[in-house]
């Protein structure tokens, strides 16, 4: 198929960006979206032009590196997947595709489609851990039975890949789904109880400091989240925050 | 220089404990004055950085991604081994040790493997304490699954995302230390060379990938944990950025490179679909617990399937060849990876491949779905369950176990693997070879360490499933933090290492010159053009089976591609900005050197062992006909290569392998 691409180009963080049109031809429906971007970049390199910078690494939906806003949707038109898992069979010959970076005040553009997600790092550093030493002198793993339901639910929350699609999708640029997922993982496990109150307070405080917006329960984040992280996690985080406030 | 593996004396069971008791330690107050650089934050580097910081050293950690959490360890699916014997099925430290040495086709160092098995149980305890949500049974205890090449169930897992959960565990431990200021994290930074002062590793030159700035970083010791070099084949299951650069650069500065030709070609990956393919996707080995591998028995059926006039589900049991079950009745679908991959290639070479390219076999879950369905019907007391009901019940179980993998498959191939068998084919997955290290995990350069997939240490010529995660975390949490202290104990009075020395000047100049060359070359061909060309030579001539003629040709061809690269590569954009093409150019330049050494190593090893199959060395008759034939008399050694300019001129040093605790046997899975 032949396509027209409208892509955000921006030289660096301080430059002003703009949308630029490109054409790519003979795209196979079996290609992944990023392979289509490779075709474009090869075309640009061969013409001596600068290729489009975009983040990607694993190309199998797990590292959380890829981050494109395609036709107005984070990770594009398919559900339950990341940009790198999107395939060209979702598009048809003659389509025009708009490709932009994540847009949020807390995620400034570095170049073209690449954004800076350090704010997520700082939130994790504020409390996204259990304070146990890595010495190996811990108790036997099976001396602490954990109900299968709790373990499975913690696992579901823990599958967040930190991509930032939730923030990019939210009209308030809220990071509640991302933070809620981490808080929930530990809140559901007995190991996480000791520091539960401090954790949620510190992570939420850092989140506010980074300039993410508030949650107004629109639920767009849940829809676009490639890992199906549920809104329940936000509710759980709010409960944890209440508990912490009473303590 | 003679190779000294520094394996401690004494019975294998006591070596590590006795050694730890005698090793030099650095007291906590002195650790504050010692800096350690850790390059790479995957399972190996992440766990090492966190532990070293926790012990009190000042750690500087580097990763080329924008967060430690994105290292390629995140992609590991199936699980992690540990000799816990929670299933009571006869597992033990010795058995894990034995399985790993045998699985590696008797080409690994016994003492290292024993230590790995010994600390494995601790890893699980540690991860659970960190909040890693491993799968559990209804009693709340940890669940296990089986992996290839073993007869016990010792693999711990977190759905199909075990690597992700373990890495997030190490990442959380790092975050705690970053918050305390004990780790300084350099994301989006690439190490481009190591700096030696008085023969010791004392720092690195790194490029800030956002600004393009070239930076100097000094330390008392440098740890390289940069993962494997499977991308030398262009297509592999590695991440797009996975590279050999750090490992290759330290090789050029004196670290020997061991067994480069030992590569793991994983049997169950999604087949390639076209020339535009940028990477290959693994379908976890855990699927072989429940999936059965087959091709049609008759060529007419193969033809009909390729033409689309028949579907795989149309074929009766009689018309199918479950070739692994046929050839290896004892292990069946759970033979080790090298064996399973060669068997798939054998069938496809004989014309039985089931897709248009002729390079695919089936991995079928219908039998498992039915088996689980019947079991569930019993558990839930459903009598006379219809076939559809049984299928539904069974599908739910399979979904709970492998749901994310099935989804991944469906998104890529656009077929529903619950309804029709998956198509799979072998792909490059893991590199057993790597930087040579001694028992302390130190390279041949003092103060320079190498851990995780980047080193050569524990897997011999073939790695068993679920053992890489184990090794990465063992190295980082439990081995390196001890052994590095022995070296650093001499550095308590050294003080900060200055970066304004001539040694730093020189290496920085080399790095800058190379970057300037790339951005000014204005050639005509893209970096990918050369990478793909290299990949094709590697796959055709250094792939699943190798022979003398092909390997000699590969050496010549790779050299020619390298020369063309340096003449004609085109790298748009500048040096002082974010420039992904420039990053790729540097990495491919190094792959083009490694590739030639790889072929040379494969040529020198005139035997078949593990993932290295030399056509000249196969069993000629008897029940093992066609299977790999090892030559213990002449080749029971580690090949450690010393850099001498051109890769073809590298000098071979042999570390003879002694087997005192395991008898050398032919590896049979029949
Ligand atoms: C798809 C897949 C599935 C797998 N499944 C399993 C499994 O189920 N069980 C199992 O045991 N093993 C599995 N493996 C193997 C295992 O995941 C890897 O061997 C292991 O995770 C490697 O860890 P590492 O820490 O050595 O390297 P990596 O995790 O690859 O980390 C490398 C680090 O080095 C950094 N880096 C690289 N180069 C540079 C540079 N020049 N400068 C700065 N930083 C650099 C990267 O940023 C990264 O942080 C799998 C592998 C793959 C590819
Ligand atoms: S919650 Fe979902 S969308 Fe948000 S960072 Fe995590 S995986 Fe991405
Ligand atoms: S590139 Fe890793 S999730 Fe898309």
């Amino acid at each position: 198929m032949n396509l027209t691409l409208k892509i955000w180009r921006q030289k660096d963080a301080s430059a002003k960006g703009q949308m630029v049109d490109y054409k790519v031809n003979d795209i196979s429906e079996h290609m992944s979206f990023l392979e289509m971007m490779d075709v474009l970049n090869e075309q640009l390199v061969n013409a001596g032009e600068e290729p489009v910078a975009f983040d990607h690494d694993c190309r199998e939906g797990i590292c959380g590196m890829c981050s494109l806003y395609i036709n107005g949707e984070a990770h594009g038109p398919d559900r339950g997947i990341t940009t790198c898992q999107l395939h060209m069979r979702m598009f048809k010959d003659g389509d025009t595709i708009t490709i932009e970076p994540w847009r949020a005040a807390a995620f400034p553009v570095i170049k073209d489609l690449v954004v800076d997600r350090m704010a997520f790092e700082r939130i994790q550093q504020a409390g996204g851990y259990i304070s146990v030493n890595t010495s190996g002198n811990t108790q036997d793993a099976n001396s602490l039975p954990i109900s299968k339901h709790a373990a499975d639910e913690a696992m579901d929350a823990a599958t967040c890949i930190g991509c930032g699609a939730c923030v990019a999708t939210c009209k308030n640029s809220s990071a509640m789904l991302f933070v809620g997922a981490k808080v929930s993982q530990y809140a559901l496990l007995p190991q996480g109880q000791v520091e539960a109150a401090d954790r949620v307070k510190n992570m939420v405080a850092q989140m506010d400091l980074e300039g993410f917006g508030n949650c107004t329960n629109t639920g767009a984040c849940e829809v676009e989240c490639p890992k199906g992280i549920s809104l329940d996690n936000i509710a759980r985080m709010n409960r944890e925050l209440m508990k912490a406030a009473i303590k | 220089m003679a190779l000294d593996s520094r394996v401690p004396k004494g019975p294998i069971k006591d070596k590590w404990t006795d050694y730890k008791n005698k090793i030099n330690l650095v007291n906590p107050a002195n650790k504050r004055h010692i800096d350690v650089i850790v390059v790479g934050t995957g399972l190996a580097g992440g766990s090492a950085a966190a532990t070293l910081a926790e012990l009190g050293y000042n750690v500087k950690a580097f990763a080329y991604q924008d967060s430690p959490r994105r290292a390629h360890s995140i992609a590991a699916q199936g699980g992690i081994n540990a000799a816990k014997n929670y299933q009571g099925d006869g597992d033990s430290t010795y058995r894990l040790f034995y399985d790993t040495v045998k699985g590696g086709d008797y080409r690994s160092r016994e003492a290292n493997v024993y230590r790995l098995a010994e600390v494995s149980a601790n890893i699980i305890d540690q991860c659970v304490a960190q909040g890693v949500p491993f799968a559990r049974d209804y009693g709340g205890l940890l669940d296990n699954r089986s992996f290839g090449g073993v007869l016990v169930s010792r693999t711990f897992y977190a759905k199909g995302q075990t690597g992700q959960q373990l890495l997030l565990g190490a990442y959380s431990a790092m975050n705690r230390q970053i918050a305390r200021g004990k780790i300084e994290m350099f994301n989006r930074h690439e190490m481009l060379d190591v700096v030696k002062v008085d023969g010791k590793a004392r720092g690195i030159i790194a490029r800030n990938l956002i600004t393009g700035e070239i930076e100097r970083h000094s330390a008392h010791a440098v740890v390289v944990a940069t993962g494997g070099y499977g991308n030398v084949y262009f297509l592999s299951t590695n991440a797009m950025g996975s590279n050999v650069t750090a490992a290759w650069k330290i090789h050029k500065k004196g670290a020997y490179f061991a067994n480069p030709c030992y590569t793991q070609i994983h049997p169950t990956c999604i087949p390639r679909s076209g020339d535009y393919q940028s990477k290959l996707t693994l379908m976890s080995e855990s699927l072989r617990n429940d999936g059965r591998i087959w091709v049609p028995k008759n060529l007419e059926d193969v033809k009909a399937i390729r033409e689309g006039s028949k579907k795989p589900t149309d074929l009766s049991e009689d018309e199918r060849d479950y070739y692994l079950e046929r050839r290896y009745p004892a292990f069946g679908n759970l033979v080790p990876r090298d064996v399973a991959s060669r068997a798939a290639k054998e069938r496809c070479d004989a014309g039985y491949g089931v897709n248009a390219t002729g390079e695919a076999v089936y991995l079928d879950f219908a039998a498992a779905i039915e088996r689980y369905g019947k079991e569930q019907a019993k558990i839930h007391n459903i009598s006379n369950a219809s076939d559809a009901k049984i299928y539904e019940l069974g599908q739910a179980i399979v979904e709970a176990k492998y749901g994310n993998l099935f989804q991944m498959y469906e998104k890529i191939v656009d077929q529903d693997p619950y309804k029709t068998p998956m198509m799979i084919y072998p792909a490059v997955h893991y590199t057993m070879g790597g930087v040579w290290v001694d028992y302390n995990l130190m390279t041949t350069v003092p103060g320079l360490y190498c851990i995780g997939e980047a080193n050569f240490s524990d897997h011999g010529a073939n790695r068993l499933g679920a053992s890489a995660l184990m090794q990465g975390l063992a190295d980082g949490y439990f081995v390196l933090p001890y052994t590095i202290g022995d070296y650093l104990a001499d550095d308590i009075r050294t003080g900060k290492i200055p970066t304004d020395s001539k040694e730093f000047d020189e290496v920085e100049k080399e790095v800058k010159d190379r970057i300037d060359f790339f951005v000014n070359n204005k050639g005509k061909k893209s970096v990918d053009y050369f990478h793909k060309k290299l990949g094709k030579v590697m796959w055709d001539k250094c792939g699943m089976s190798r022979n003398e003629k092909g390997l000699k040709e590969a050496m010549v061809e790779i050299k020619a591609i390298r020369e063309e690269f340096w003449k004609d590569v085109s790298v748009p954009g500048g040096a002082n900005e974010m420039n992904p093409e420039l990053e790729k150019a540097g990495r491919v330049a190094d792959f083009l050197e490694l590739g030639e050494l790889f072929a040379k190593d494969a040529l020198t090893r005139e035997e078949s062992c593990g993932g290295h199959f030399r056509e000249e060395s196969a069993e000629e008759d008897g029940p093992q006909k066609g299977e790999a034939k090892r030559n213990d008399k002449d080749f029971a050694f580690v090949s450690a290569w010393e850099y001498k300019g051109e890769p073809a001129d590298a000098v071979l040093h042999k570390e003879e392998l002694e087997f005192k605790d395991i008898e050398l046997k032919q590896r049979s899975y029949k």
Side-chain angles (χ1 to χ4, degrees), chain B residues 163-236:
Chain B
Q164 179 193 31
Q165 295 311 315
L166 295 174
L167 183 59
L168 293 181
Y171 169 64
S172 71
M174 278 187 81
N175 280 333
R176 183 171 162 236
Q177 300 304 329
I178 295 174
R180 286 179 60 215
K182 289 304 291 182
I183 297 180
E184 199 182 343
M185 183 65 217
F186 295 86
N187 294 309
R188 292 200 200 263
H189 273 67
E190 181 164 8
M191 163 179 167
L192 292 179
D193 217 331
V194 63
V195 180
K196 293 200 303 190
V197 180
D198 299 332
K200 296 177 176 172
R202 292 300 199 189
I204 65 168
I205 302 294
R207 180 165 180 271
N208 177 330
L209 300 180
I210 298 179
T211 61
E213 196 180 331
I214 302 298
E215 301 172 352
R216 304 175 177 199
H217 296 275
S218 70
H220 298 89
V222 175
V223 181
V224 168
T226 48
Y229 52 83
N231 275 351
V232 67
Y233 288 84
F234 184 70
L235 286 181
S236 81

Side-chain angles (χ1 to χ4, degrees), chain A residues 11 28 30-32 34-35 38-39 41-42 44-46 48-65 78-81 85 87 89 110-111 114-118 120-121 124-126 128-149 151-152 154-156 158-163 178 182 185-186 189 191 226-227, chain B residues 47 50-51 54 64-72 74-75 77 84 86 122 124-126 128-142 158-159 161 164-165 168 171-173 175-176 178-179 187-188 210 237-242 273 276-282 407-408 410-414 477-478 482 524-529 570 572-574 577-581:
Chain A
K11 182 129 185 68
S28 154
H30 299 297
M31 274 185 199
S32 72
L34 294 185
E35 282 165 353
D38 293 343
V39 170
N41 276 347
E42 180 83 12
L44 291 174
V45 174
N46 287 335
E49 288 174 51
E50 253 198 80
V52 180
F54 59 90
D55 264 331
H56 65 111
D57 202 29
C58 73
R59 293 212 178 180
E60 51 187 72
I62 192 74
C63 73
M65 198 83 184
D78 208 349
R79 286 287 165 268
I81 55 155
Q85 293 176 294
H87 274 69
R89 62 182 82 94
I110 294 175
K111 178 174 188 163
V114 177
V115 299
D116 177 344
R117 287 174 285 200
M118 282 307 114
F120 270 13
E121 296 299 296
Q124 295 288 356
Q125 288 154 18
Y129 48 81
I130 289 173
S131 298
V132 54
N133 280 353
T134 56
S135 58
N137 295 324
T138 45
Q139 58 186 352
D140 181 82
N142 259 353
S143 63
L144 179 73
I146 298 175
S147 98
K148 182 169 167 51
H149 294 294
D152 286 351
M155 175 66 199
D156 288 343
T159 54
C160 163
I161 57 175
C163 62
F178 167 76
K182 200 69 201 170
Q185 177 195 343
Y186 293 134
L189 295 172
Q191 304 93 304
K227 296 294 143 184
Chain B
S47 57
T51 309
E54 194 179 287
Y64 70 76
Q65 296 94 343
D66 69 342
S67 162
R69 68 181 293 157
R70 308 204 202 280
H72 199 48
I74 201 89
Q77 303 170 346
K84 278 284 196 188
Y86 281 163
N122 245 328
I124 305 302
D125 302 340
Q126 179 64 46
V128 166
Q130 281 168 352
V132 170
F134 283 120
R136 290 176 182 268
D137 60 24
Y138 283 97
L141 302 181
L142 293 165
K159 281 203 175 156
Q161 290 115 297
Q164 179 193 31
Q165 295 311 315
L168 293 181
Y171 169 64
S172 71
N175 280 333
R176 183 171 162 236
I178 295 174
N187 294 309
R188 292 200 200 263
I210 298 179
T237 64
N238 285 2
M240 300 302 286
S242 297
S273 68
Y276 47 78
Q277 193 98 24
S278 59
K279 74 154 272 161
L280 295 167
T281 303
L282 176 79
Q407 187 231 16
M408 208 190 245
E410 185 173 357
K411 288 291 173 194
I412 294 174
V413 185
D414 204 21
Y477 282 139
F478 303 132
Y482 283 101
K524 277 193 271 321
K525 298 203 176 85
S526 71
V527 176
D528 277 357
Y529 166 86
S570 153
E577 58 178 331
M578 175 175 265
N579 188 342
E581 284 298 311

Side-chain angles (χ1 to χ4, degrees), chain A residues 75 120 159-167 177-178 181 221 224-227 229:
Chain A
H75 294 307
F120 270 13
T159 54
C160 163
I161 57 175
C163 62
C166 44
V167 174
L177 196 62
F178 167 76
C221 53
E224 296 293 349
C225 170
K227 296 294 143 184
I229 302 294

